[in-house]
Amino acid sequence: MTTDDTPDPTTGLQRQRNPVTGRFTRSMTTVRRDARAADLFADGLNFQQIADELGYSHRSDAQKGIERAKADVARPAVTKLIDAESQELDALYTEAVAILQRHHVTVSHGKVITWLNPETGVEEPLQDDGPKLAAIQTALRVRESYRKLHGLNQPEQVAVSGGVKYEVVGINAEDLT
């Protein structure tokens, strides 16, 4: 992250710009100020009093700072939840892959169905691809859930094409020329 040469006119603090997105990001100073704003709010100060004390340019900026502080407090719990969900998804994926790698035979009425292998002349159990196909579908759904959980999916783009045709009813087209 790089720091702009000029301080933020509303706070007097240096602002940090993300080199990839170009957006300003919070510095440790602003994180601490937002946390202090939340403390003052908990002590009973209103947004205007907090803005005046901490140098926010407007009371709504103090309110936004308090909201950011709340999000900061929740972030470790959310991270823990995401980690727990990731572990569960990893276990499900591992099980789906294990099922995919097993040998499945066709069973009907409690008996294994066999077929005569023309190459060997030996009766062999008939392979059942159903469980493998179901395991593949399950593995794909688990991976999709994992990508959604971690925000790895690219935003979907919708292309709209076509035209619009306007028709004026009640007017002769020759009168328009």
Side-chain angles (χ1 to χ4, degrees):
M1 295 203 192
T2 60
T3 305
D4 282 2
D5 293 340
T6 58
D8 181 348
T10 60
T11 63
L13 304 171
Q14 296 296 102
R15 296 175 66 182
Q16 294 179 329
R17 188 182 290 270
N18 183 312
V20 176
T21 64
R23 295 181 178 173
F24 287 106
T25 58
R26 296 168 64 208
S27 67
M28 283 306 297
T29 305
T30 57
V31 169
R32 288 185 188 109
R33 184 171 71 151
D34 291 345
R36 178 73 181 131
D39 285 340
L40 293 174
F41 187 69
D43 289 342
L45 274 68
N46 65 34
F47 297 133
Q48 186 60 56
Q49 292 168 326
I50 295 168
D52 293 342
E53 182 162 333
L54 297 180
Y56 287 104
S57 60
H58 191 268
R59 66 176 179 246
S60 66
D61 294 330
Q63 183 179 6
K64 290 175 189 171
I66 293 166
E67 293 301 320
R68 288 189 299 264
K70 288 180 191 176
D72 290 342
V73 170
R75 192 163 288 122
V78 170
T79 301
K80 185 176 178 180
L81 177 62
I82 289 172
D83 290 343
E85 287 290 323
S86 292
Q87 289 175 0
E88 288 182 27
L89 289 172
D90 288 342
L92 291 171
Y93 184 78
T94 301
E95 184 62 28
V97 169
I99 291 170
L100 184 62
Q101 294 172 347
R102 285 188 200 133
H103 179 71
H104 301 278
V105 295
T106 304
V107 177
S108 178
H109 301 292
K111 294 185 179 182
V112 175
I113 305 298
T114 59
W115 70 293
L116 182 62
N117 186 334
E119 294 176 5
T120 62
V122 178
E123 289 232 355
E124 297 177 357
L126 182 63
Q127 299 296 312
D128 186 2
D129 294 331
K132 286 190 177 195
L133 292 173
I136 290 169
Q137 290 175 345
T138 300
L140 289 173
R141 285 193 305 271
V142 168
R143 297 318 307 165
E144 178 65 24
S145 295
Y146 193 88
R147 286 192 305 275
K148 285 180 182 177
L149 179 65
H150 290 280
L152 300 175
N153 287 348
Q154 292 292 325
E156 294 184 20
Q157 295 181 353
V158 177
V160 178
S161 63
V164 177
K165 179 180 176 181
Y166 293 96
E167 182 178 338
V168 180
V169 179
I171 297 178
N172 189 349
E174 295 173 1
D175 293 341
L176 297 174
T177 55

